[in-house]
Amino acid sequence: MTPDDLLAPLDLAFWNIESPEHPMHLGALGVFSAPSPSAGAHAADLLAARAAAVPGLRMRIRDVWQPIGFGGAVREPDPGFDPQDHVRLHPPAADFQAEAGRLMERPLERGRPPWEAHVLPAQQGDRFAVLFKFHHALADGLRALTLAAAVLDPMDLPAPRPRPAEPPRALLPDVRRLPGLLRGALSDVSRALDIGASVAVHTLARQSTTALTAAPTGTRRTAGVVLDLDDVHRVRKVVGGTVNDVLIAVVAGALRRWLDERGDGSEGVAPRALIPVSKRRPRTAHPQGNRLSGYLVRLPVDDPDPLGRLAAVRAAMDRNKDAGPNRGAGAVALLADHVPALGHRLGGPLAGQAARLWFDILVTSVPLPSFGLKLGGNPVTEVYPYAPLARGQSLAVAVSTYRGRVHYGLVADAQAVPDLDRFARALSEEVETLITACGS
C-alpha cells in the first residue's frame, strides 16, 4: 500500500458520516422502453456480465490501521467479487418510484464493492427500470455516470485527452520543493480559515425551517417530475441568467406552494440550499475520488412574486460565482482536506450531525450525456437522479437534463414528508407560473 492508494479526504468523510438511518449512496433510476416482458431479465443478465469487466466496480473499501494512513481507508480490488451479489432482478413492479424509495432506504454492504443495480420490470411488460446505487465514497456524480455507462450498451465517444504522467509520490517531500510547499500550505490554511469563519457566520445566522428538518427515521420515499426543457429556456430567454438559475427558482416556488398547501405557511421562510459544484473536468480528471465544492443560496420562498424569486436566485448565484467555488460557507467540503484520517473516523458522526446547522436542503445538478442511452438495445426514456439525505433533513432534490427533458429526482424522509407527491406536483405548477409571469 502507498499513499496514493488511500481514499481522498472527502471520500473518507462520506465513508465515516454514514449511519444506518442515513446511508451515503447516490442513486439514479433509469426507465427503459421494452419490446417484451422478458426484456428486464435480459437486462439483468447483461448488467451482471458487463460488471465483471469493469475494474471500478470490483473495488471495495477497506479500513486501514497501518502507520501509512492510520485511521483511513483504501480502495482495492475485491478478490471475491461476484457481480451476482450486486445485480438483482425483482418481481414486476406497479410503481417504479415506490420501489425505488424502498430500495434507497437500504445501506450498501460495506464489506464488498459498495454499489448495486436493481432491475424492476413493469407489470405491463412494456417497460423496465434500473435503479443504480453508488456509495458517495466510491463515486461522485460524474464518476457514477461513468461507472453506469460502462455497463450500458457501448457508445462511440471521443477519446479522452491524455493526462501527463505524474511521478510516484514519495513519503517525504523533496527538500528543494519545501519553500513552494510551505507557501502552498500557508495558502491552504488561510483558505481553510476563511471558509471556517464563513461557515460559522452563516450557521449563527441560520433560520430553521421545520418542514425541511426531521429526526432521522431511516425511511425513504422518492418521486420524479419531468419538465420540458423548452419551457425552461422560454423563461430564461425572457429574464436572463442560466438554466440552472431557473431550475433552482422552480424549487423555491414549489416549496412556497407546498408549504402553504400543507398549512405550514411560507411567510418568513428562506431556507439555505446547498448547491454542490463539481471541480472535476469530465474528460481529463483522475477517475477516482470526489471533487466537490459548493455554493450556499438562501431560497426566497417567502417572496410572493415568481419573477422576484428568480431574480433573487440569479443574484445569489452570481455572487457565489464571483467569489468562486473555493471560498465561502458553501465550500465547506474543501475543509475535509485539512482533517487527518483519524480525525475523519472519530469526528464522522459529529460531522453528520452538523449538516442540519449548515444547510436546510440539498439541490444538486447531475450531468447526463445528450445522446441516447440504451441497455440491450432498449432506449432510456426517463432518468431520475437521487441524492443522499443528510442527517436531520427531510428532503433532497437532484435534477438532470436528458434529451430535451428536465428530470427532478426527489428523496424524502417518508415519515416527515408523507406528501412528497404534492411537492412534485408543485414543481410542475411552478414552471407554468413562471411562463405566465413572463408573458410567454
Side-chain angles (χ1 to χ4, degrees):
M1 185 188 71
T2 71
D4 288 328
D5 297 323
L6 295 169
L7 256 63
L10 187 53
D11 301 346
L12 188 59
F14 285 131
W15 188 244
N16 284 309
I17 66 175
E18 182 173 62
S19 69
E21 294 79 17
H22 287 88
M24 291 302 298
H25 52 251
L26 312 169
L29 181 71
V31 179
F32 299 77
S33 62
S36 69
S38 63
H42 178 57
D45 291 339
L46 281 176
L47 290 173
R50 292 172 178 175
V54 181
L57 297 179
R58 304 176 69 92
M59 304 300 286
R60 68 180 180 183
I61 296 175
R62 179 175 61 83
D63 294 334
V64 173
W65 298 106
Q66 300 172 18
I68 298 177
F70 183 80
V74 294
R75 290 188 192 87
E76 64 181 14
D78 181 1
F81 175 70
D82 183 351
Q84 297 294 341
D85 292 334
H86 302 264
V87 179
R88 295 160 192 178
L89 177 64
H90 293 260
D95 185 336
F96 291 151
Q97 290 291 346
E99 288 299 306
R102 179 179 61 83
L103 293 168
M104 286 294 288
E105 288 183 7
R106 302 178 182 177
L108 295 164
E109 287 196 32
R110 293 169 71 93
R112 61 191 185 194
W115 68 275
E116 292 174 350
H118 297 269
V119 181
L120 307 168
Q123 286 185 344
Q124 300 87 342
D126 59 345
R127 299 182 303 158
F128 67 89
V130 179
L131 174 66
F132 289 101
K133 294 168 57 178
F134 296 98
H135 199 288
H136 219 326
L138 180 71
D140 58 12
L142 280 173
R143 175 63 173 159
L145 174 62
T146 301
L147 291 172
V151 292
L152 298 179
D153 289 358
M155 296 172 287
D156 294 326
L157 300 176
R161 285 174 282 181
R163 298 172 63 247
E166 297 181 1
R169 199 189 317 174
L171 297 183
L172 294 176
D174 187 332
V175 293
R176 292 169 295 182
R177 299 175 57 215
L178 285 177
L181 291 172
L182 181 59
R183 285 193 298 271
L186 291 175
S187 175
D188 287 346
V189 170
S190 175
R191 185 175 66 180
L193 291 173
D194 181 56
I195 296 171
S198 185
V199 170
V201 169
H202 285 83
T203 298
L204 290 173
R206 179 185 174 276
Q207 297 175 344
S208 177
T209 306
T210 56
L212 298 177
T213 59
T217 69
T219 60
R220 293 293 180 270
R221 187 185 303 272
T222 63
V225 179
V226 182
L227 307 177
D228 193 324
L229 185 58
D230 286 342
D231 289 341
V232 177
H233 279 299
R234 288 165 65 187
V235 175
R236 181 191 60 80
K237 289 176 181 178
V238 172
V239 302
T242 68
V243 166
N244 203 39
D245 294 341
V246 178
L247 297 178
I248 295 170
V250 167
V251 174
L255 284 172
R256 176 183 176 84
R257 190 183 303 267
W258 175 63
L259 291 172
D260 286 342
E261 286 182 359
R262 75 199 313 245
D264 291 337
S266 58
E267 184 177 353
V269 175
R272 288 199 172 279
L274 175 64
I275 315 293
V277 177
S278 176
K279 295 170 65 65
R280 180 193 298 276
R281 295 181 181 179
R283 293 176 58 195
T284 60
H286 192 277
Q288 293 186 353
N290 281 272
R291 302 288 188 272
L292 292 175
S293 181
Y295 298 147
L296 274 184
V297 173
R298 190 176 287 281
L299 298 180
V301 172
D302 54 350
D303 189 339
D305 177 15
L307 296 184
R309 292 193 292 269
L310 178 49
V313 167
R314 181 184 174 188
M317 289 296 289
D318 286 345
R319 288 193 298 270
N320 275 293
K321 292 171 186 175
D322 288 342
N326 294 330
R327 291 193 176 273
V332 71
L334 301 179
L335 293 178
D337 292 337
H338 303 274
V339 178
L342 190 58
H344 280 293
R345 183 171 298 278
L346 298 177
L350 293 177
Q353 295 279 5
R356 65 186 304 169
L357 301 176
W358 172 34
F359 65 96
D360 298 294
I361 184 172
L362 178 73
V363 182
T364 185
S365 178
V366 180
L368 289 177
S370 58
F371 42 81
L373 301 170
K374 295 181 180 180
L375 178 57
N378 304 298
V380 173
T381 58
E382 304 166 43
V383 186
Y384 301 99
Y386 301 132
L389 199 58
R391 181 180 293 274
Q393 296 171 345
S394 57
L395 177 64
V397 179
V399 59
S400 63
T401 57
Y402 177 70
R403 311 207 77 184
R405 300 278 187 171
V406 176
H407 294 81
Y408 280 95
L410 312 176
V411 176
D413 184 289
Q415 293 188 25
V417 187
D419 55 347
L420 185 61
D421 289 343
R422 182 184 297 180
F423 176 69
R425 185 174 66 249
L427 288 167
S428 298
E429 293 169 349
E430 181 62 16
V431 174
E432 296 300 324
T433 297
L434 281 169
I435 291 172
T436 301
C438 290
S440 300

